[in-house]
Amino acid sequence: MNFPANIQLYQIVIVIFSSIMIYQGFRKYITQESGQTLYKLTTRIIVWGGMALVATFPKITNLVAGFIGIEGNINAVILIGFLLIFLMIFKLLSAIERLEQNISELTRKDSLKKINNITKK
Amino acid sequence: MSFEKKQKNVFIILPVYNEEKIIQETLKEIQATGYKNIITIDDGSSDDSHQKIKEFDKNIIALRHKLNRGKGAATKTGIEAAKLLGAEIIVTMDSDGQHNPQEIEALITPIRKNQCQVALGSRLKNRNQMPLFKKACNWAGNFVTWYITGLWVADSQSGFRAYSIKVADQIDTKGDRYEYESEVIREIKLKKLSFQEIPIEVRYTDYSMGKIEKQNLTNGFKTVYKLIWNIIS
């Protein structure tokens, strides 16, 4: 795979930004900041690394388009982008729902303390 | 069996949210019917509802959610409390005075007679007084509930219901807000619980009408969204 002859400004920006994001991920993982897992780091590398790769080698999208059977590399990239965003939203909503239920459960336990005191007497 | 003995293990659950203007009147009416076991759950009201309840009668079990978690969550807290206190029959009703406490007896009689495990109060008695918008919302709620749960009931969104304690243990809901009422219908269908629909009246006072306006279309859409989300998530 050859480097593109003319490098555009957007490609430089994306590569620099992706590198910073991947570096941040590694730093957080190595210094063991709370909530940092290998899964999170891998996801970060795949997402930002993928963006940097596509920006550096735009022709790679032809391979992706051919692989998933969609005519036109841009269409394939947009479709994958949509799917990823959809998955992320779904995961986020599930996490919010779980948190909401946990908050309700904690609120309930707190309010039922009074009943527990009555039944103990 | 005397009325006093019969009502001993009946617990009335009232989820309360910003009802300081009407809550004492509602409690007074319930007590006038002879039912003394009342549990109120103030769902993080921003007004003095909780204080008003405590001032009204110290014998009322006044619980409080520190955060607003929704009508469904407050009702569930009340049911849990009633279970801990040894309830045999649990009645849930709205705290804004829409429901007539005189009809509690009609609601719990089929449960006492072992004719059913759940009694659903259906706002059918004075249906012609129901505002058109409310009628349309009610029908839409029934339709969505039927579509999702497979069980058609005349009033899927009514909060005036009675449960035997055995059933209260079985009903497993996740919804914290208005979707709770439809989730109960789903549980009735899934767990093949016996139920009866009891016609009740709704009192459309200026106060309750004001609240109806607050329960706007957005809330309706949120309820539908939550019901669908619970299926796909």
Side-chain angles (χ1 to χ4, degrees):
Chain A
M1 197 175 294
N2 296 324
F3 272 95
N6 297 318
I7 293 174
Q8 304 292 320
L9 181 66
Y10 84 92
Q11 291 172 306
I12 298 167
V13 172
I14 290 176
V15 170
I16 292 172
F17 196 70
S18 301
S19 307
I20 293 169
M21 294 308 284
I22 292 170
Y23 165 75
Q24 294 273 14
F26 270 112
R27 189 184 56 76
K28 282 180 182 173
Y29 183 69
I30 291 164
T31 56
Q32 292 185 326
E33 271 186 31
S34 71
Q36 295 303 312
T37 57
L38 189 63
Y39 170 72
K40 247 184 172 180
L41 178 66
T42 316
T43 311
R44 194 181 267 254
I45 292 169
I46 291 170
V47 171
W48 292 107
M51 278 180 76
L53 200 69
V54 169
T56 317
F57 306 104
K59 283 184 182 170
I60 209 168
T61 51
N62 288 328
L63 290 175
V64 179
F67 179 70
I68 59 174
I70 288 179
E71 252 182 65
N73 53 347
I74 296 299
N75 287 345
V77 171
I78 291 170
L79 181 75
I80 291 170
F82 266 124
L83 283 174
L84 280 175
I85 289 168
F86 180 77
L87 274 173
M88 277 186 243
I89 292 173
F90 192 81
K91 272 203 73 138
L92 270 174
L93 286 175
S94 300
I96 292 169
E97 188 67 34
R98 245 192 339 269
L99 279 173
E100 289 255 8
Q101 278 176 21
N102 288 344
I103 294 169
S104 291
E105 202 48 50
L106 279 174
T107 311
R108 180 166 301 123
K109 273 184 185 160
D110 178 67
S111 65
L112 287 174
K113 273 181 193 164
K114 189 176 173 181
I115 300 288
N116 292 326
N117 291 339
I118 295 171
T119 49
K120 271 179 198 167
K121 277 178 193 173
Chain B
M1 197 189 286
S2 69
F3 179 77
E4 282 73 25
K5 274 189 181 172
K6 277 202 289 185
Q7 64 86 34
K8 205 178 161 192
N9 294 319
V10 177
F11 279 73
I12 317 291
I13 312 291
L14 289 168
V16 182
Y17 183 64
N18 288 346
E19 307 282 13
E20 64 174 5
K21 286 181 189 160
I22 199 99
I23 190 64
Q24 290 190 338
E25 206 179 308
T26 307
L27 293 169
K28 200 171 155 187
E29 265 198 284
I30 297 171
Q31 286 188 334
T33 60
Y35 293 96
K36 305 287 181 206
N37 299 322
I38 303 170
I39 301 173
T40 62
I41 308 92
D42 177 67
D43 191 29
S45 294
S46 53
D47 67 3
D48 284 333
S49 298
H50 190 57
Q51 202 52 38
K52 293 265 180 190
I53 297 163
K54 288 205 285 189
E55 279 168 16
F56 178 72
D57 186 349
K58 296 249 180 301
N59 292 318
I60 288 171
I61 300 157
L63 305 180
R64 181 168 163 79
H65 279 178
K66 282 181 182 164
L67 298 169
N68 175 251
R69 300 308 304 149
K71 189 189 174 193
T75 307
K76 273 167 77 176
T77 300
I79 290 174
E80 287 303 316
K83 276 154 63 175
L84 287 168
L85 292 167
E88 279 174 13
I89 295 174
I90 297 169
V91 178
T92 62
M93 61 193 291
D94 291 357
S95 54
D96 60 2
Q98 269 197 61
H99 299 141
N100 185 354
Q102 298 287 346
E103 292 180 321
I104 293 174
E105 194 57 30
L107 212 61
I108 62 177
T109 300
I111 297 176
R112 274 213 188 104
K113 289 182 177 171
N114 286 324
Q115 290 168 349
C116 67
Q117 295 164 302
V118 184
L120 306 171
S122 298
R123 293 166 283 185
L124 298 169
K125 267 190 181 172
N126 53 341
R127 206 166 174 81
N128 50 349
Q129 285 175 34
M130 193 184 264
L132 199 64
F133 174 72
K134 189 75 186 156
K135 263 186 200 168
C137 288
N138 207 18
W139 188 87
N142 292 347
F143 179 79
V144 173
T145 305
W146 164 77
Y147 191 75
I148 290 170
T149 66
L151 184 66
W152 179 268
V153 291
D155 191 353
S156 62
Q157 304 307 306
S158 166
F160 198 12
R161 293 172 177 177
Y163 308 89
S164 73
I165 189 65
K166 204 176 156 192
V167 157
D169 267 333
Q170 288 177 48
I171 289 176
D172 178 27
T173 55
K174 282 184 184 167
D176 284 340
R177 312 256 166 208
Y178 286 102
E179 70 275 15
Y180 171 81
E181 312 294 2
S182 292
E183 286 195 10
V184 170
I185 307 293
R186 181 202 64 206
E187 289 292 291
I188 291 173
K189 171 79 176 174
L190 276 178
K191 291 174 180 161
K192 296 186 173 75
L193 307 174
S194 58
F195 73 100
Q196 274 188 23
E197 295 184 78
I198 312 293
I200 56 160
E201 68 160 329
V202 177
R203 296 176 297 184
Y204 295 104
T205 59
D206 287 345
Y207 182 79
S208 67
M209 290 295 275
K211 279 190 66 98
I212 286 166
E213 279 162 26
K214 281 179 217 162
Q215 286 165 10
N216 53 26
L217 215 56
T218 319
N219 275 343
F221 284 123
K222 275 186 193 168
T223 304
V224 173
Y225 157 74
K226 281 274 188 182
L227 284 170
I228 295 169
W229 176 256
N230 284 343
I231 295 171
I232 61 169
S233 64

